[in-house]
Amino acid sequence: MKRPGPRARAAAALTRVTGRALGPYQSAVVRIGFAGTWLFFLLRELPNRHELYGPDSPWSWQLAERLIASNRAFTVLMWSDSTLWFEIVYALSVLASLLLVLGWRTRATSVVFMVGVLSLQNRSVFMGDGGDNVIHLMAIYLVLTRCAQVWSLDARRVRLRGSASAGAAGPVLWGVLGVVLAYGALIGRFSTGWLAAFAALWVGLGLWWLVDRFEPDGDARAVLDVLANVLHNAGMLVIMAEVCLIYATAGWYKIQGSRWQDGTALYYPLGLDYFTPWPGLSGLLAGSGTLVMLLSYGTVAVQVAFPFTLFDRRVKNVLLAVMMLEHAGIALLLGLPFFSLAMIAADAVFLPTAFLVWLGARAAALRPVRGRGPGRGRVRVPVAREPGAEQEPRAPQEPVAAEPGAPAR
C-alpha cells in the first residue's frame, strides 16, 4: 500500500488540528484539578485571608501599588483599598472556582477564575510558592481551551437542550462582565495590553452566543468552531510544554546542586519544623541514609527523564504514575498539599484517554439512576462533543486507547 505523500500528511494534520478540540478528557481533568485546588486553598485560608491578600497583609496596599506601577501586573484588588471590595473579590474568586469545577458557563467562568487568581496572587507576590506559580500560568491557559466538552454542566446542557449557551444566564453574565470591564477602563485601571485582551474576550463571548443562538448551522458557526479548536489545541500544547519545562528545569538545576549530587538533599527538609507535619514519620525516613539517597537520586532521574519518555507511551505512563506518587508523598511528608495537588493536576494532561474514559464510567456507575436502585442502571460511557454542537445521542462505545491529546473515540 502506497504511503501518503507529504502534502496529504500535512492536509490530514491540518484537518485534525482545526476539525475538533483534541484531548477533551485531559482538558476536563486539568480544569477540575486546578479550579478545585484553588478552591480548596481559598476555603482553607478563609480565616487568614486578610493577612494573606487583604488590608492586614504585611505587604501593604501602598507597597503593592508601587510594585504594580513598575511591573504592570494585573489585579482588581488595586482598584480600591476598602475591605468591602476585598471581600467581594475574594467571594467571587471562590464562586468562580466552584463554577469552573462544575463546568457551568465555562467560557465566562474561566475568565472570572483567571481574574481571581491573578488579582489575589499579584496583590501579595511574596505569599506564594511553586504551586501558586503553576496555578497562575494554568489559569491563563485554561481561558484558551474548550475544557467543558465532558464532565461538566455545559456538556449536560448540550445533551438536554442542544446548546451549551441555552438559557438567559449567558447574556446576563456577559452584560455584568461588560459593566465591570467598562468601569475598569473608565477609572484607568487597565494597562493597554490587558484592556485589549479583556475587550477581545468580551466581544468574542458575545459573538459566540449570537452565532450559536441565531445561526447554529451556518458558515459563521463553522468559522468560529475552527478558531476555537485551533486556540484549544494550541492551549493544550502550551500546557504540555509547560509541564515538560517545569520538570526539565527542576531536574537539571538539581543536578548542579551539591546536596543532590551526594544524595542528601531530602535529609535536610525532613529536619525542619516547617516541613514536618508528621515528625515521627519524617524522623523514621531521615534515619535511613540509603532510602534518603535513593529518593534524592530517583527524584532527579524522573524529572530529567520525563520529557524524553513522551515518545514511548508505556514508559511515559509508568513515569507519570511515579511522579504522581512522588507528589502525594511530598504532600504527606513535607506538608505541601496544594503544591502537590497543583502538580498532579498539571501531570493529568498526559493521562491516557482510555484510562480517563474508564474512570468516568466507574464514577458514573456509583451514582444512583433516577427511578432505579443504586447501581442498577446501565452505565453510558460519555462521548466527547463540542458544547453547542447539535448532535443526536450516540450509543455507548468501548474506550479505545489513545495518546494524550488524541480525540476520544
Side-chain angles (χ1 to χ4, degrees), residues 232-256:
H232 168 91
N233 295 329
M236 292 295 290
L237 180 62
V238 170
I239 290 174
M240 293 179 180
E242 185 70 39
V243 175
C244 292
L245 185 62
I246 289 172
Y247 283 120
T249 54
W252 286 106
Y253 273 119
K254 285 183 175 67
I255 288 177
Q256 302 174 45

Side-chain angles (χ1 to χ4, degrees), residues 244 247-252 255 297-312 315-316 319-320 323:
C244 292
Y247 283 120
T249 54
W252 286 106
I255 288 177
Y297 284 159
T299 298
V300 176
V302 167
Q303 291 181 347
V304 171
F306 178 74
F308 302 99
T309 63
L310 299 182
F311 301 101
D312 189 300
V315 177
K316 180 265 297 180
L319 223 58
L320 190 61
M323 289 194 304

Side-chain angles (χ1 to χ4, degrees), residues 25-345:
Y25 293 94
Q26 286 82 3
S27 62
V29 171
V30 171
R31 181 198 86 230
I32 295 170
F34 280 103
T37 300
W38 186 242
L39 174 63
F40 294 150
F41 175 79
L42 294 180
L43 293 178
R44 191 196 72 168
E45 298 299 341
L46 194 62
N48 308 312
R49 63 190 184 281
H50 288 181
E51 289 77 16
L52 284 174
Y53 306 113
D56 299 331
S57 173
W59 190 251
S60 67
W61 196 84
Q62 290 78 16
L63 289 174
E65 190 175 39
R66 291 174 57 186
L67 178 62
I68 289 174
S70 63
N71 64 13
R72 311 301 294 175
F74 172 78
T75 169
V76 299
L77 284 178
M78 302 311 298
W79 292 8
S80 172
D81 61 350
S82 71
T83 303
L84 177 61
W85 176 243
F86 168 76
E87 297 290 1
I88 292 174
V89 173
Y90 199 93
L92 287 177
S93 298
V94 172
L95 180 61
S97 301
L98 175 61
L99 293 178
L100 192 60
V101 169
L102 299 176
W104 183 83
R105 306 286 174 178
T106 313
R107 292 188 184 91
T109 53
S110 63
V111 177
V112 180
F113 174 76
M114 177 188 71
V115 169
V117 170
L118 298 183
S119 296
L120 291 172
Q121 291 188 354
N122 289 337
R123 165 61 178 84
S124 299
V125 294
F126 299 111
M127 294 297 178
D129 55 22
D132 293 304
N133 293 335
V134 175
I135 294 174
H136 190 107
L137 294 171
M138 296 301 175
I140 299 174
Y141 301 151
L142 278 174
V143 174
L144 303 176
T145 65
R146 308 181 79 170
C147 53
Q149 299 174 91
V150 296
W151 301 342
S152 68
L153 295 179
D154 285 351
R156 181 176 181 271
R157 194 179 304 112
V158 170
R159 293 193 299 270
L160 298 179
R161 306 179 67 175
S163 172
S165 59
V172 171
L173 184 58
W174 182 79
V176 171
L177 293 177
V179 171
V180 174
L181 178 63
Y183 174 74
L186 287 175
I187 64 175
R189 290 298 184 176
F190 285 114
S191 65
T192 303
W194 281 110
L195 180 59
F198 283 117
L201 287 172
W202 185 74
V203 172
L205 291 175
L207 182 62
W208 184 279
W209 184 88
L210 287 172
V211 172
D212 189 53
R213 181 69 179 271
F214 298 106
E215 198 181 356
D217 299 318
D219 292 338
R221 174 55 194 266
V223 172
L224 290 180
D225 271 329
V226 168
L227 293 176
N229 291 338
V230 171
L231 284 176
H232 168 91
N233 295 329
M236 292 295 290
L237 180 62
V238 170
I239 290 174
M240 293 179 180
E242 185 70 39
V243 175
C244 292
L245 185 62
I246 289 172
Y247 283 120
T249 54
W252 286 106
Y253 273 119
K254 285 183 175 67
I255 288 177
Q256 302 174 45
S258 59
R259 299 306 178 204
W260 291 97
Q261 291 177 8
D262 60 26
T264 61
L266 183 61
Y267 173 82
Y268 296 98
L270 294 175
L272 300 176
D273 292 338
Y274 184 79
F275 293 111
T276 52
W278 311 98
L281 184 59
S282 299
L284 182 64
L285 179 60
S288 173
T290 302
L291 189 56
V292 168
M293 181 190 67
L294 291 176
L295 289 174
S296 299
Y297 284 159
T299 298
V300 176
V302 167
Q303 291 181 347
V304 171
F306 178 74
F308 302 99
T309 63
L310 299 182
F311 301 101
D312 189 300
R313 187 194 327 178
R314 294 179 180 178
V315 177
K316 180 265 297 180
N317 290 340
V318 171
L319 223 58
L320 190 61
V322 170
M323 289 194 304
M324 288 185 170
L325 290 174
E326 175 190 349
H327 289 302
I330 290 174
L332 178 65
L333 290 173
L334 302 182
L336 298 172
F338 297 104
F339 167 78
S340 298
L341 283 174
M343 291 307 304
I344 290 174

